Amino acid sequence: MDPITGMLIIDKPQGITSHGVVSRVRKWCGTRKVGHAGTLDPMATGVLVLGLGRGTKLLTYIVGADKTYTATIRLGSSTPTDDADSAPDLFADPADLAGVTEERVRAGAQRLTGDIEQVPSAVSAIKVDGVRSYARVRAGEQVELRARPVTVSAFAVGPIRAGEDAAGRGHVDVDVEVTCSSGTYIRALARDLGRDLGVHGHLVALRRTRVGAFDLSGAVELPQDPATAAPPDLMPLAEAAARVLPVVDLDRETASALMQGKFVDLAAVPPAPGGHWAGIAGGELIAVLERRAGRFKSATGIAVPGRGDG
């Protein structure tokens, strides 16, 4: 078994990439085997779910979970990246911006709620003919991505306030909370809300508060100097798996067979919409189970290695 194995929920600080977080955690925990379940942009903060050791294999079952964000949308201008990582290049007519009311903002958010077709931001990690979209944009190419179906299950509008930038241009900032499916771009929602209201829009703050069953209550801060920080307490894989998959309790004989890569019979299992179960014995995640022809076996790469005790 991997000597360092488990899950770690990081409250990602602003100004660092998700890959940068992974790099720092590798030094902090003394292992190269670290991965994350869903990128956060450098300007964003909040929940970043990391897997260490065998936990990297469990990320597969977390990355597609729905997510919740708090954000601030600035109406009145847009940027090439749809967020504050680039300077505004288009500005609303002051008369149009003056016509933005709370009622209109709420109606616009409602139109972006539910099952929608969203065009991702051009400066994104989506690949176009094998090349990341952001790389094509930075190379000077015009990139138009196809719309994709996403679900925005909640788009709640909070405080709305008017202000001015350093050049005296007006804007309207809108605090929002969004719950959405994996693959939804919050900065694209900001862009589309601005377009819908005819005043442009971009994101100026973003914080992810939840990824599936993992939220900020279990998150830890990333140390500035991982070499001198005490190692963090990792969430056991059994606990993490039980949050994202239905649990099957295994007896010793069945657990031993699964660790040897064998198929097993299980009399009763709970419903599993995703087709996978967490097989747990003695408080330990033995395997993520999948059903094949009515029998069960470990999903590739997840099982505890066989110990020859079968």
Side-chain angles (χ1 to χ4, degrees), residues 89-267:
D89 58 351
L90 294 173
F91 299 90
D93 183 284
D96 292 334
L97 189 62
V100 173
T101 63
E102 180 176 342
E103 182 180 12
R104 290 187 63 205
V105 171
R106 293 186 183 280
Q110 184 61 40
R111 287 190 287 272
L112 292 169
T113 303
D115 297 327
I116 64 173
E117 292 285 325
Q118 183 185 73
V119 177
S121 297
V123 183
S124 66
I126 295 172
K127 288 187 176 180
V128 179
D129 295 331
V131 179
R132 300 287 186 189
S133 179
Y134 64 73
R136 291 184 176 275
V137 171
R138 289 169 183 167
E141 295 184 33
Q142 287 290 112
V143 177
E144 292 188 12
L145 299 175
R146 295 180 180 178
R148 304 186 304 175
V150 299
T151 299
V152 178
S153 52
F155 194 163
V157 174
I160 299 174
R161 54 200 177 276
E164 290 185 348
D165 63 16
R169 298 188 185 94
H171 59 248
V172 174
D173 284 350
V174 182
D175 292 337
V176 301
E177 183 175 66
V178 177
T179 296
C180 55
S181 61
S182 179
T184 305
Y185 284 83
I186 308 302
R187 50 197 164 108
L189 288 178
R191 174 202 66 200
D192 292 345
L193 179 61
R195 286 179 178 174
D196 181 72
L197 297 173
V199 294
H200 306 296
H202 68 283
L203 206 62
V204 294
L206 179 65
R207 182 163 177 76
R208 188 156 68 192
T209 60
R210 184 183 63 85
V211 175
F214 305 93
D215 59 28
L216 287 168
S217 66
V220 299
E221 293 185 1
L222 190 67
Q224 287 294 327
D225 185 0
T228 61
D233 293 328
L234 302 181
M235 181 184 295
L237 292 190
E239 179 182 342
R243 292 190 182 195
V244 298
L245 298 170
V247 171
V248 175
D249 293 317
L250 305 173
D251 59 33
R252 182 176 179 180
E253 181 180 356
T254 303
S256 179
L258 286 165
M259 287 189 286
Q260 296 174 54
K262 296 178 181 179
F263 282 85
V264 300
D265 294 309
L266 297 173

Side-chain angles (χ1 to χ4, degrees), residues 1-2 5 33 53-55 57 237-238 250 254-262 279-289 297-309:
M1 190 187 306
D2 301 305
T5 285
K33 202 168 184 182
R54 279 199 309 132
K57 301 296 184 180
L237 292 190
L250 305 173
T254 303
S256 179
L258 286 165
M259 287 189 286
Q260 296 174 54
K262 296 178 181 179
I280 294 175
E284 182 178 9
L285 177 65
I286 301 301
V288 171
L289 306 174
K297 74 179 297 290
S298 169
T300 304
I302 297 293
V304 173
R307 298 169 180 163
D309 56 351

Side-chain angles (χ1 to χ4, degrees), residues 7 22 26 32-37 49-53 55-56 59:
M7 308 300 293
V22 168
R26 284 172 175 162
R32 294 291 302 169
K33 202 168 184 182
V34 181
H36 65 76
V49 180
L50 303 183
L52 290 79
T56 58
L59 296 174

